[in-house]
Amino acid sequence: MNPPLTTWPTYDKGDVFLSPEDIAAAIEALRAQLFFRYDFRPHEETFTGLLERRLCEVFGAGHALACASGTTAITLSLLALQLPAGSPIACPAFTFAATPSAILLAGHRPVLVECDENLHLDVRDLRRVFDEGAKAVVVVHMRGFASDMPEICRLAEEYGALVVEDAVPALGARLDGRYLGTFGHFGAFSTQSDKSLNTGEGGFLLTDDPEAYARAVVYSGAYEGRMARHFPGKVPDVDDRAFPIFSFRMDEIRAALAAALLQRLPDRLAAHRRNYDYVAERLADLDGIALRQPVAPGAYLGEALVFRLPGATPRECVAFAGAVAAEGVDARALGDRDDVNVRAFWNWRFLLGDNPEAARSLFPTSARYVSEAIDIPLSANLDLADCDRLVTAVRKAAAGRALTQPNGESAAAGRAPATKPNGESATAGRTASR
């Protein structure tokens, strides 16, 4: 057994899932002294070309493009779809600020969609946004949990809308056996420091559309005929001088590291799943919290534990997160009014102005559910003893909160029974409601 943690492992404290082989790959790229992806070598002999080929093999995609970040991957995807400038593009209200930022960067207008009680994009509200004229949707698998892609894709097809998946927070997760990021017209991913493939910064996109892919390649910075290197066979009839060049490329050093990390991606995904399932099972019967439920069994990454305190005020959620943190486990109340957390849409002043109360009133359902949410990061490097520590911390915080409820009543009174991550009832054989 590993010694007890002295600090909860997170990416900003140097937590990495790295092997000597990964380090050696990056050093090899450094020693080659060829850092630019488009040099004299054939495309397939570059580290970026190798990475893109392996990504296609792993994800079963027709085309992959390594780029500078997940944000640029979303932007390139939207640019490649050739929508009219300023098009309204739907995205969920619960996401990282990079999602609407990428829509703006592509020259379009973000239109927010409410989330449901499990913090997934609300498909019913998406219909409203499509009715109002949205031309596309950027679906986000926020905090590693899949959105309902089959239903979203069916709805988008009904309206003739395009679908881009922001799989930035869910690299490697699947829905019904299919990788997230392969359901829409494009899938966008990140290899930033807290992602399943950690190259510090970086990202990639996937698509099966060769012409749209060619446009994305040109936009990313493949000038003077270099776009053709991405096509070993027939090159799409795309004029590479008809598009601006934004230099969103990935460099060779990051590509070498990412390609090496990709070999151990199944190990990291298994560690995330083991830790999440272990913790979720031991908290499933806990009164007063509502564990986030997947849209289908197993449709989550497991790199974060997110649950709500139904009916709790933001102040109560801050106190709960503080009680967990006091036990040595990092926890954040997503709705903390004194926090500048950019996962809370009312902090997006660039989009919604500087009045957070007015912003929350525009999307009251999302504001409610985000305000009740607690977020705890789950490193792949945690062992089961660390997970037990987390469970104990949450249970202790919940017990302390229960003691402070009016009349001593449970905060979960009247709530429907929770379900385990596999979709089974967590309260089979129990009479108490939660």
Side-chain angles (χ1 to χ4, degrees), residues 290-316:
L291 289 174
R292 193 179 182 195
Q293 299 301 307
V295 298
Y300 52 89
L301 178 62
E303 53 83 37
L305 177 73
V306 179
F307 56 86
R308 291 189 301 107
L309 306 180
T313 65
R315 187 182 298 275
E316 288 172 331

Side-chain angles (χ1 to χ4, degrees), residues 31-278:
R31 286 176 172 161
Q33 300 181 44
L34 295 168
F35 303 156
F36 181 50
R37 69 165 300 162
Y38 298 119
D39 54 33
F40 69 91
R41 295 168 294 173
H43 178 73
E44 63 274 12
E45 293 182 10
T46 63
F47 286 108
T48 43
L50 171 65
L51 171 62
E52 290 166 353
R53 185 176 77 248
R54 288 182 177 172
L55 289 169
C56 289
E57 293 169 353
V58 169
F59 287 90
H63 305 280
L65 176 65
C67 54
S69 66
T71 305
T72 57
I74 300 168
T75 302
L76 289 167
S77 300
L78 290 169
L79 289 168
L81 292 175
Q82 293 191 303
L83 294 164
S87 291
I89 307 295
C91 74
F94 179 51
T95 183
F96 191 68
T99 307
S101 298
I103 295 171
L104 290 170
L105 187 57
H108 300 306
R109 177 167 60 88
V111 181
L112 302 190
V113 181
E114 293 271 29
C115 66
D116 63 21
E117 64 181 357
N118 286 305
L119 300 172
H120 307 313
L121 180 148
D122 189 330
V123 181
R124 295 167 300 179
D125 197 48
L126 178 60
R127 178 178 288 278
R128 171 190 64 82
V129 174
F130 280 153
D131 279 335
E132 294 175 355
K135 303 300 183 185
V137 56
V138 178
V139 185
V140 185
H141 307 301
M142 188 59 175
R143 301 304 280 148
F145 270 61
S147 292
D148 189 349
M149 289 312 302
E151 188 59 30
I152 290 169
C153 288
R154 280 193 292 270
L155 186 62
E157 184 176 6
E158 177 184 335
Y159 282 85
L162 301 171
V163 178
V164 172
E165 287 181 79
D166 177 348
V168 164
L171 198 166
R174 304 188 195 210
L175 171 59
D176 296 332
R178 181 173 175 179
Y179 280 110
L180 299 178
T182 65
F183 287 85
H185 297 86
F186 275 92
F189 300 79
S190 172
T191 62
Q192 201 263 346
S193 293
D194 65 339
K195 305 304 186 291
S196 302
L197 301 178
N198 170 13
T199 63
E201 300 289 350
F204 62 92
L205 60 80
L206 303 175
T207 186
D208 290 328
D209 184 332
E211 289 194 6
Y213 174 69
R215 290 191 290 270
V217 169
V218 176
Y219 276 119
S220 76
Y223 54 87
E224 296 175 350
R226 288 172 169 83
M227 176 267 288
R229 301 187 186 187
H230 290 258
F231 295 90
K234 185 178 184 300
V235 179
D237 186 17
V238 170
D239 181 359
D240 65 356
R241 290 171 290 179
F243 304 98
I245 295 170
F246 295 131
S247 296
F248 290 162
R249 299 175 296 261
M250 179 180 281
D251 63 82
E252 285 286 273
I253 302 166
R254 284 186 174 84
L257 179 57
L261 289 165
L262 190 58
Q263 304 303 307
R264 290 199 308 134
L265 179 61
D267 297 336
R268 180 163 189 163
L269 297 177
H272 279 309
R273 179 59 59 87
R274 177 201 66 208
N275 292 340
Y276 184 89
D277 289 352
Y278 184 90

